[in-house]
Amino acid sequence: MTENMTCAIEMHSDHRHWNSELAMWKEDITNWRSEHAIALDLLLQAKTMITSHEACLDAHQEKMSEVSKAIQCHEKTLAASLRGGAESDRNNVLNDKHESHLQTMITQHDAHERIKKHHHTAMAKVELLLKALEAPM
């Protein structure tokens, strides 16, 4: 009979332990559901930001197109100037315009590098998130 009592006491202890563990698991799941809701809100914010970044890429591409057209125009003006003979006033204007294009190119180069770094960093994080979510639970 003592043996049965020991077993019953141990079983009762196991049940208390298991119920405690189940209560902790339930609390974990409640917390995870809350975190999921927050994550979904954050993902919506991320989607909005990625869409905004797309608009920035459009603006950057448009600026590149403008710069390209300005350089082509400057090149044509320079070629015409060389064919027509060098006048110092015209050369000064061409030099000033060339300096302006140089500064624009420096600015655009810096902008492009910032955009590239930001893009690669953000896309790598998105990829990491997807890989984490694809892992089996």
Side-chain angles (χ1 to χ4, degrees):
M1 181 148 210
T2 316
E3 203 173 284
N4 283 341
M5 276 303 239
T6 304
C7 256
I9 291 170
E10 288 175 2
M11 285 189 280
H12 183 65
S13 175
D14 284 345
H15 292 170
R16 279 196 321 266
H17 173 75
W18 294 342
N19 282 326
S20 175
E21 195 163 21
L22 287 167
M24 286 187 303
W25 292 350
K26 184 178 178 182
E27 186 177 331
D28 284 344
I29 291 170
T30 299
N31 291 335
W32 295 339
R33 289 186 191 282
S34 176
E35 290 171 353
H36 280 181
I38 292 167
L40 289 171
D41 287 342
L42 292 173
L43 287 172
L44 286 174
Q45 289 177 28
K47 181 180 178 187
T48 299
M49 294 174 92
I50 290 170
T51 301
S52 173
H53 292 169
E54 188 71 25
C56 291
L57 292 178
D58 291 344
H60 181 56
Q61 187 172 16
E62 179 63 31
K63 183 63 177 177
M64 286 175 23
S65 180
E66 291 172 13
V67 169
S68 178
K69 287 176 187 174
I71 291 169
Q72 289 172 11
C73 182
H74 186 254
E75 181 63 25
K76 288 178 183 176
T77 304
L78 178 61
S81 174
L82 290 173
R83 283 191 305 268
E87 295 177 18
S88 68
D89 285 345
R90 197 176 329 162
N91 282 342
N92 287 338
V93 170
L94 287 171
N95 285 339
D96 289 347
K97 197 61 160 171
H98 188 78
E99 182 62 31
S100 173
H101 289 311
L102 172 63
Q103 293 307 313
T104 299
M105 286 301 296
I106 291 169
T107 299
Q108 288 307 303
H109 175 270
D110 293 346
H112 189 82
E113 290 303 311
R114 274 193 323 276
I115 291 167
K116 181 193 300 186
K117 181 178 179 185
H118 183 272
H119 174 80
H120 287 302
T121 300
M123 294 303 104
K125 299 290 184 180
V126 169
E127 189 175 337
L128 283 173
L129 172 61
L130 288 177
K131 287 190 184 304
L133 291 170
E134 288 171 348
M137 292 180 97

